[in-house]
Amino acid sequence: MENSILKVENLDVELEEEEILKDLSFEVKEGEVLTILGPNGAGKTVLLKTLLGILPYEGEIAWKAEIKIGYVPQRLPFIKDIPLSVKEFFDLENVSENETKEILKSIGVEEEILKKKIGDLSSGQFQRILIGWALAPNPEVLLFDEPLAGIDIGGQESVYNLLEKLEKEKNLTILFVTHELSIVYKLADEVLCLNKKMLCYGLPKEILTPERIGQLYSGEVKFYEHKHD
């Protein structure tokens, strides 16, 4: 994890004359997992979209040259209304059937799911398929926007274990957005506490003090303990 894969300096984002992000600076190294933590409306999704080059900004965003990035959005509800099978969904990425089967294997999904319609999948299955789809271009970096949102606790545990497995097996660099403290301590190398501006940045066990968590969240903080054998 010696080499920098992303460097952000003095990042400001303003949308419709509203200041969304102010003076963010941080660095992500190869193979690192950065969790972006904050309440609703903190600017987490805006940050990801800005890093992807979707939104205008001021400041500096410097990715490693020729970097390949996969993106798992928070929600794609309209996709479930389109009469596509899982196989047809992967065909949109020009992935061969053999490659698709390898991806399904890596995300712990049986090949039979290829015949299913996207709209018939459970929330947990659909999230895994979105992760698999993001893996199709063989990226070096994966950006996740609250991949556990809307998934029941059993499904959350399953998706969480999948992310941990992918990070270890593929040596991916992961930027992971959440507003929960669910998986931060176990998965994250670094955590960025965000509420329009940076409130804290560093090792989770060092900076996520009760005082800082209280500063970050004005309402209820959600905890979810992950149990490992």
Side-chain angles (χ1 to χ4, degrees), residues 2-222:
E2 294 295 323
N3 300 323
S4 175
I5 209 164
L6 169 67
K7 191 168 185 179
V8 176
E9 291 187 337
N10 308 121
L11 180 67
D12 294 333
V13 178
E14 186 177 291
L15 300 175
E16 298 180 355
E17 300 185 356
E18 180 185 353
E19 192 174 73
I20 307 297
L21 297 174
K22 179 65 176 175
D23 197 27
L24 290 187
S25 296
F26 61 93
E27 185 175 0
V28 182
K29 293 180 170 56
E30 290 185 22
E32 195 169 68
V33 178
L34 172 68
T35 296
I36 302 163
L37 186 68
N40 289 326
K44 304 185 302 297
T45 296
V46 167
L47 175 56
L48 283 196
K49 289 182 176 179
T50 305
L51 296 177
L52 289 166
I54 296 171
L55 297 175
Y57 65 91
E58 293 183 0
E60 181 182 353
I61 297 174
W63 285 101
K64 176 185 170 184
E66 300 181 1
I67 194 78
K68 287 185 179 179
I69 303 172
Y71 175 51
V72 183
Q74 186 174 0
R75 292 180 183 87
L76 278 178
F78 63 91
I79 287 290
K80 300 198 88 173
D81 296 329
I82 299 174
L84 283 176
S85 68
V86 172
K87 180 183 182 304
E88 290 167 337
F89 185 51
F90 276 96
D91 287 344
L92 296 175
E93 271 285 349
N94 296 317
V95 184
S96 71
E97 188 166 344
N98 284 338
E99 288 173 320
T100 301
K101 289 178 179 178
E102 283 299 313
I103 291 169
L104 293 181
K105 184 177 178 181
S106 74
I107 60 174
V109 176
E110 298 293 329
E111 292 179 14
E112 287 70 24
I113 204 171
L114 288 171
K115 302 173 186 176
K116 284 192 173 185
K117 297 294 183 186
I118 291 288
D120 294 335
L121 302 179
S122 70
S123 60
Q125 287 176 324
F126 183 54
Q127 195 61 42
R128 278 177 177 261
I129 292 303
L130 286 181
I131 293 169
W133 204 67
L135 290 170
N138 197 28
E140 299 160 73
V141 181
L142 277 180
L143 272 55
F144 291 96
D145 192 354
E146 300 196 36
L148 305 183
I151 301 176
D152 62 46
I153 294 297
Q156 285 186 1
E157 179 74 11
S158 176
V159 173
Y160 161 75
N161 288 335
L162 171 61
L163 298 186
E164 189 175 28
K165 171 177 173 283
L166 290 174
E167 187 265 333
K168 289 178 180 176
E169 291 182 358
K170 296 182 177 291
N171 194 33
L172 291 165
T173 303
I174 295 176
L175 277 69
F176 186 96
V177 161
T178 184
H179 67 276
E180 302 178 4
L181 293 171
S182 306
I183 66 173
V184 177
Y185 293 103
K186 181 65 178 176
L187 190 59
D189 296 305
E190 302 274 340
V191 60
L192 189 163
C193 305
L194 180 66
N195 196 351
K196 305 217 175 210
K197 62 182 180 180
M198 186 185 297
L199 298 181
C200 58
Y201 176 56
L203 299 174
K205 290 182 180 178
E206 291 182 4
I207 66 170
L208 289 179
T209 63
E211 292 78 16
R212 281 215 175 102
I213 293 169
Q215 180 187 17
L216 184 62
Y217 292 92
S218 57
E220 177 185 356
V221 179
K222 296 182 181 179

